[in-house]
Each structure stands twice: as structure tokens, then as C-alpha cells.
Amino acid sequence: MKPTTLKQIAELLDISTSTVSKALKGYSDVSEKTKRLVLETAKLMNYRPNSFAVNLRTSESKTIGLIVPEIVHHFFSSVIKGIISQAEKKGYLVIILQSNESYKLEKKQLDLLLSQRVDGILISLANGTGNFDHLNDVLLQNKPLVMFDKIAKIIKCSKVIIDDRKAAYTATQHLVDIGCKKIAHFRGSLLPQNSIDRFLGYKQALLDNNMPYDSSLVYICECGDRSFVEGKESARKLLNEHNDVDGIFINTDLVAIGAMTEFQKLGVKVPEDISIVGFSNWFMSSVISPTLTTIDQPGYQMGKTAFKRLYKEIQQIKRNETVTHKKIVLDTALVVRESTIEAK
Amino acid sequence: MKPTTLKQIAELLDISTSTVSKALKGYSDVSEKTKRLVLETAKLMNYRPNSFAVNLRTSESKTIGLIVPEIVHHFFSSVIKGIISQAEKKGYLVIILQSNESYKLEKKQLDLLLSQRVDGILISLANGTGNFDHLNDVLLQNKPLVMFDKIAKIIKCSKVIIDDRKAAYTATQHLVDIGCKKIAHFRGSLLPQNSIDRFLGYKQALLDNNMPYDSSLVYICECGDRSFVEGKESARKLLNEHNDVDGIFINTDLVAIGAMTEFQKLGVKVPEDISIVGFSNWFMSSVISPTLTTIDQPGYQMGKTAFKRLYKEIQQIKRNETVTHKKIVLDTALVVRESTIEAK
DNA sequence: CGGTAAAACGAAATCGTTTTCGTTACGAAA
DNA sequence: TTTCGTAACGAAAACGATTTCGTTTTACCG
């Protein structure tokens, strides 16, 4: 019933546990005969090393922790997939927690992971996170920490991100290029760096094209559970307040889809009357009608890259080398689809 | 640099590790004075019990394993969320692996989890899984195993599922009720029980309504990465072969969305010309146009229920009680939206 | 046959925590 | 003063695997 131990094998063969251990690990000071014998009985008894004991001895668990704001989300689940696939290759397992965009939960979970003594931690911050002491706690314990997507610039650790500002600039420029004269922006909430940067990219693009920046053309959406509805609401408001807008750059795809749905309902044609660019390239965006022009945010690759970076730092700590930090910026791409069209 | 241990606290206070341990755990044979002293220094030195040592002693890791065929998938990510939320409440962490619908990977990952000595395992089978020895291995080790959604009837363990057959029956009956005269079915691949049961539900509904079952009206889709495209292809084929079909029950939402997209492109109106019912109630289905009538498959609740069941069995094993197995069937609901309409 | 080197094996410590079972010390009762 | 009880503490074993450093055995050569 209880799993086989080295001791049991040793007693059965009437040799010492040391020899059994060495045989299993292929040491050279074990005769071929006993080696064979041990390997056979081990297989027969379905022996598996007790990972608790191994962990205790080596002080590593071959496990990393991952905290995301939300699991049921195309971008994050892609990231998770990327992380897991890469981790598996290196023999690491991944413990996943979700902060539900709550600072309090995030803090608690980080603590949990430290207590569990994972070998490293990957995190994408909650929108509500404004205090970063809990992150510094991790670094103080000399545990590798890599942040991705939603990061805190102030923390001294490796980061994997996209250039939100540049991507937003590209998106807005696209609207300018196709002939939009009055471009609105549905931005995310005020805290996270991403929505700030995207906003700044939007603004910069306007200025560089000698178009006036008008703050009343910027609408705020929380981009949480209500994204779709927020998109609808903002679309309706926009029509009331500025019915001559001919292009919108929207912080995230789901809000954009909400907006498009509302426009269709109100008889405003996308892209004929208004061109729309989203952000993230959710899978959904390629199957709705009209398909959505958007910025492709490489979630899977981000996950892979983040793990690789974390792995490198774990190795560095193991070898007592000084840990290096790196900021890795992944490329985004504008995906032009049906929701934007050249003005006639 | 290295984490604080009991020994360090003991040496600092010039008492034994036993006393320190007892003080931290609130034993009664420690004086109030030393208890306070220990607690203070522990906090000061940021002491956390070494989980490796604790695990070794208690033979449990407070960790469970989860294997799903695919993470980037609305239903499964909802399940994952349900599992994690519930696990957290009970102080359990969740290690997630994905089988990529591959039997070989699934087997390997199950082995990995056993080696890691998780306290229990939750699994939804890969489509490719036809052999079940690896699952019995888990049970032989006396480890609790709970299967959900994609199960193997033959394995003696707890299961959490929906009644696919009944749900499919309801979906088909809905098409009959609104007046469809010739109803097609896009089914999933041949192996998994789900797609078999949904097919059987479809067939039964036809028979009960005195409508002829015609196997040429049943199209097979693998429902993997290519779901959307498969939906389009099948839609096109269907039009060629049976242009008088006025209703389709489709195995999964994404295929349905593919089909709808193709119909729209080919000038066939949904729901006026053809009514469509999907399955799963992906979030996407509520935001596309027309919104999709579908069967709501309660992923989040399934995750919660599966964990609760696993937790109960873990407790039973801890207390040396005999482990009971249960088959839990969750309710589904028909969600009527715009893709189906009463025939005139 | 004695000696030596190499080959094969084992004892024991270690990782950090927990818990059982003593042991000590001290005050109170006899 | 002796005895007993109790409060407070500590020694040590245990969980299972690993590895260092001996120790024993074998083989071989002179």
C-alpha cells in the first residue's frame, strides 16, 4: 500500500541502502551484478524516489509558481500554455494561482508560494496592485522572480513585455493612414502600466500627425469582467458626444467587440462609418463579423520566454553566480482585418 | 541568505529545537514567556517552516495534480478556475499539465505527478486515450483520482460529468419544437464518450419525434485546433449534399460559429434559412452575431465539484476509511439566442 | 605466499521538522 | 527532610534519499 523505499529494496536484497541508491544512480563503485539486481527489483516493486526526501536534501522542488490576474482569458491562458510547455521540457512543474485582480490576494498567494518553497516565481500583476513590498520580499529571499505583461517598473527583476506604447502608436497610425480624421480612444483603467502606455502611444501618434489631442475623446473602461458591456456603453456615449468620430483605437479586443456590436445595433456601420482597431488579437477577433483589426500580442511566446528567463536565473542561483536581470521586449504586429478600411 | 530554520532560532535563544517547534505550534508544555519570545524572534527572522521537511514527515504535500487536454479553451480554463478557487479554500495548491490530446503525453504526465507525490489527481482524458492502464496505476497506488468531462466509464473512480445525451436530446428537441423538418448533426470525433453520447441524444430525439434518422446528415469534426475551419468546411459540404436542411445541432460552439460564418458568406441566413444550436456556451457565443443558441456546460461548477469530491477522498484515505466513488451529473441548460427561430 | 592496488560495499551524517518519552527543577504536602 | 506532583524543557528517533569517507573483499603481481 505504502510506496516502496530504498530500505525495502535493500532489506530484500540484503545489501545496504547506500548501495541501492548508488546502483540506481549509476555510480561506478557498484558491481554490474548488483546494479542489475537492484534495477530489476526496483522496477518490480515500482520504486519511485520520494520527492519529499529528495527536495529536502537538495533544497529544490523543481517546481515554479505562477500568478496571473485571471485564468479564463485568451491572452493569459496562452501565456500559461507557453510557460507549461517550456517548463515541462526542463523538468519543472508549474503551480498556478490567480489573483482575481486583487492586490490582497496577490500578496497572500506570493506568500503561499514562498512557503511552498518553489524554485522561482512568474507573475503578472493585478490591476489593483500599487504597493510592491510583497515583490521585494521575494527578491530578499533570493528567489528568482520574473514579471511579464503587467509589470512594476520599480522592481529590480527580469521582465518580459511588449512595447505597448509603440504598438498603440502603430495601431493609431494605421487609423491615420487609412484616412481617419477624428480618432477616439477607449483606454483601460488608470493604474496598470499597459493602459497608460497604450494611451501615450495613441497620444503621440496624434501629435506626430499634427492632429489635435482631445481628452474628451478618451473613454475609460475597467477591462474586467464587464469588458464587453463597457464597450457597448462607451460606444453609445461616444455617439452622443462626438458623432463625427471616424476611427477608434480600443485598449482591448473584447471592449472593441462590445463597441462593434453596439454600433451595428445602432445602425452605425463598421468599418464604413467608423474604423476600429483592438488590442491583443483574441482568437474571437478572427471569427466575428466583421473580423477585427488588432495588435497581435504573442501570449504563447511570452510565456515561453518568461520561463526561459526564470530558468536561467534559477541556474545562476544554483551555481552561486550573481543573478542578472533582463528586460525582454517582444515584437507585436498589426493584424489588419475587416474592421478598418481606407476612407474614400 | 538561506531561510531561517528552527535550529537557528533555538541557538539564538539558547533553547532546544523541540521547544521552539512546540512554542510555534502552541503546545501547552511551553511557558508563556518562552512562547512569546519564540514567536517574536520567529517573526523577526521571517521564519517559515520548511515545507520539504514537513512534507517528508507528514507524507502529504497539500498539492494536487490536474491534467487537461488543452488550456487555451474556454471550457477548460473555466474548469481550472473552479478547481483552483476551491483548492485554495482548503489550502491546496494545483499543479497543471496539459496532454495536448495525446495519450502518450497523458501517460507520462500522470507518472510525473505520481513521482511528485501529489495528494490526488484530477483528469479530463485526451481524445486519443483508448488504453486506461495508466489510470489504474494511480488507483493501485491508493491515490485519489477524479475524472471530469472526458471520462472512461471502465475506471473505478469518482466522476463529474454532464448528461451529454440528455443535453443533446434537449438541443435537438428545441430544433424540432421550432418547426425544423430536416435536422443535421455535426458530431465530434469517434472516440470520446461525449461526442458519442451527444450523437445518441440527437438520434433519440429524432426517433421520438417520428423523424427519420439519416446517417448522411451526420458530419464528423475532430474539434481540435481546426474546429472553426471544420465548421466552415462541413457547412459547405452540407449545402452541397442537402440544401433543404433547416436545422443543425452542432457538437461544439466553435464549430457552430465556423458554420454560421460560412453560411453568412454563402448567403444562407441564420436563423431564417437554417437554425443552429451549438454546445458548451463559450463566452464567444454570446457576443457574435447572431448570438448562438447553445447548451450551457457549467465549467466553473464542474471544477469546483471535482475538487470537492477529490478532497473528500483525500480525507477518507488520511483517516484510513474506505474510499467511496461517486458519479456526479451536473445540470445543463438550453440557452436560446438568436441563431434559432420559430419557423413561419 | 605476502603485499598492494583496485573494486565493491557500508556506516553514518545530513537535510529540517515533529513528537514521544524522558529528565530536571521546584513548590507543596506529609 | 522526604516524597510527590507538576510545569518546563530537551534528547533522540523518525521521515527517505544521498554522499562522504572508511572498511572489506577481490585480484593480481612479484
Side-chain angles (χ1 to χ4, degrees), chain A residues 280-295:
Chain A
S280 263
N281 196 17
W282 288 35
F283 175 75
M284 203 186 299
S285 304
S286 63
V287 304
I288 53 162
S289 173
T291 54
L292 181 67
T293 295
T294 188
I295 297 288

Side-chain angles (χ1 to χ4, degrees), chain A residues 6 34 43 46 49 118 170 172 189 199-200 223 244 250 253 275 303 320 331:
Chain A
L6 281 188
T34 52
K43 176 150 285 176
N46 196 21
V118 292
T170 305
T172 312
S189 53
F199 164 69
L200 292 175
C223 296
D244 54 342
I250 301 184
D253 277 8
S275 280
N320 265 321
D331 284 335

Side-chain angles (χ1 to χ4, degrees), chain B residues 103-340:
Chain B
Y103 163 67
K104 226 177 119 189
L105 255 181
E106 181 179 293
K107 193 176 149 102
K108 199 171 137 195
Q109 291 171 344
L110 224 38
D111 202 69
L112 244 176
L113 290 176
L114 287 178
S115 287
Q116 183 74 6
R117 282 185 157 60
V118 292
D119 295 343
I121 294 178
L122 294 171
I123 190 171
S124 187
L125 295 183
N127 276 341
T129 299
N131 182 320
F132 307 117
D133 293 345
H134 55 316
L135 299 170
N136 276 321
D137 282 351
V138 178
L139 298 175
L140 279 176
Q141 305 236 351
N142 208 25
K143 275 252 137 65
L145 173 72
V146 173
M147 307 181 49
F148 62 91
D149 194 51
K150 309 230 241 145
I151 65 164
K153 285 187 174 169
I154 203 176
I155 301 295
K156 296 249 175 304
C157 68
S158 286
K159 289 149 196 155
V160 182
I161 49 172
I162 56 168
D163 190 336
D164 279 291
R165 190 158 169 173
K166 185 171 142 201
Y169 188 100
T170 305
T172 311
Q173 184 67 46
H174 170 64
L175 289 170
V176 174
D177 289 345
I178 62 176
C180 292
K181 298 296 176 208
K182 190 167 180 183
I183 301 172
H185 177 40
F186 293 180
R187 61 164 292 168
S189 53
L190 295 175
L191 256 184
Q193 195 62 44
N194 308 64
S195 76
I196 297 173
D197 287 339
R198 291 178 199 173
F199 163 70
L200 291 175
Y202 156 78
K203 197 168 166 184
Q204 189 67 43
L206 292 186
L207 297 180
D208 287 358
N209 287 281
N210 297 317
M211 294 171 72
Y213 164 67
D214 175 358
S215 67
S216 76
L217 286 173
V218 176
Y219 294 74
I220 297 181
C221 304
E222 290 304 319
C223 295
D225 292 343
R226 290 184 65 259
S227 293
F228 182 71
V229 176
E230 284 181 323
K232 295 180 76 159
E233 291 168 353
S234 299
R236 185 176 287 266
K237 244 195 272 174
L238 176 72
L239 278 191
N240 280 338
E241 299 169 359
H242 301 277
N243 65 3
D244 53 342
V245 161
D246 54 2
I248 322 179
F249 165 53
I250 301 185
N251 188 67
T252 195
D253 278 7
L254 191 48
V255 175
I257 292 172
M260 287 207 300
T261 305
E262 190 69 7
F263 283 142
Q264 276 172 344
K265 190 169 146 197
L266 298 175
V268 176
K269 291 197 170 150
V270 178
E272 293 81 356
D273 301 335
I274 299 190
S275 280
I276 292 184
V277 182
F279 203 108
S280 262
N281 195 17
W282 289 35
F283 175 75
M284 202 186 299
S285 304
S286 63
V287 304
I288 52 163
S289 173
T291 53
L292 181 67
T293 294
T294 187
I295 296 288
D296 184 56
Q297 194 180 6
Y300 184 77
Q301 200 200 332
M302 187 175 277
K304 276 181 76 169
T305 310
F307 178 82
K308 279 186 186 167
R309 187 61 218 162
L310 186 69
Y311 181 74
K312 180 158 275 174
E313 295 192 6
I314 291 176
Q315 300 304 316
Q316 288 177 336
I317 286 193
K318 260 169 89 170
R319 303 204 200 95
N320 265 320
E321 300 166 12
T322 46
V323 178
T324 56
H325 297 317
K326 236 181 172 177
K327 183 166 144 189
I328 301 172
V329 181
L330 299 181
D331 283 335
T332 54
L334 176 72
V335 182
V336 179
R337 299 209 184 92
E338 298 165 359
S339 68
T340 53

Side-chain angles (χ1 to χ4, degrees), chain B residues 5-6 18 21 27 47 50 53 57:
Chain B
T5 66
L6 282 188
S18 330
S21 172
Y27 276 56
Y47 170 77
N50 183 319
R57 242 191 150 262

Side-chain angles (χ1 to χ4, degrees), chain A residues 6 21 27 47 50 53 57:
Chain A
L6 281 188
S21 173
Y27 277 55
Y47 170 78
N50 183 319
R57 226 173 168 276

Side-chain angles (χ1 to χ4, degrees), chain A residues 251-317:
Chain A
N251 189 67
T252 194
D253 277 8
L254 190 48
V255 176
I257 293 172
M260 287 207 301
T261 306
E262 190 69 8
F263 285 141
Q264 277 173 342
K265 190 168 146 196
L266 298 175
V268 176
K269 290 197 171 151
V270 179
E272 292 81 358
D273 302 334
I274 299 190
S275 280
I276 292 183
V277 182
F279 203 108
S280 263
N281 196 17
W282 288 35
F283 175 75
M284 203 186 299
S285 304
S286 63
V287 304
I288 53 162
S289 173
T291 54
L292 181 67
T293 295
T294 188
I295 297 288
D296 183 57
Q297 194 180 6
Y300 184 78
Q301 200 201 332
M302 186 174 277
K304 276 180 76 169
T305 310
F307 178 81
K308 278 186 186 168
R309 185 63 218 162
L310 186 68
Y311 181 75
K312 180 159 276 172
E313 296 192 7
I314 291 175
Q315 300 304 316
Q316 288 176 337
I317 286 192

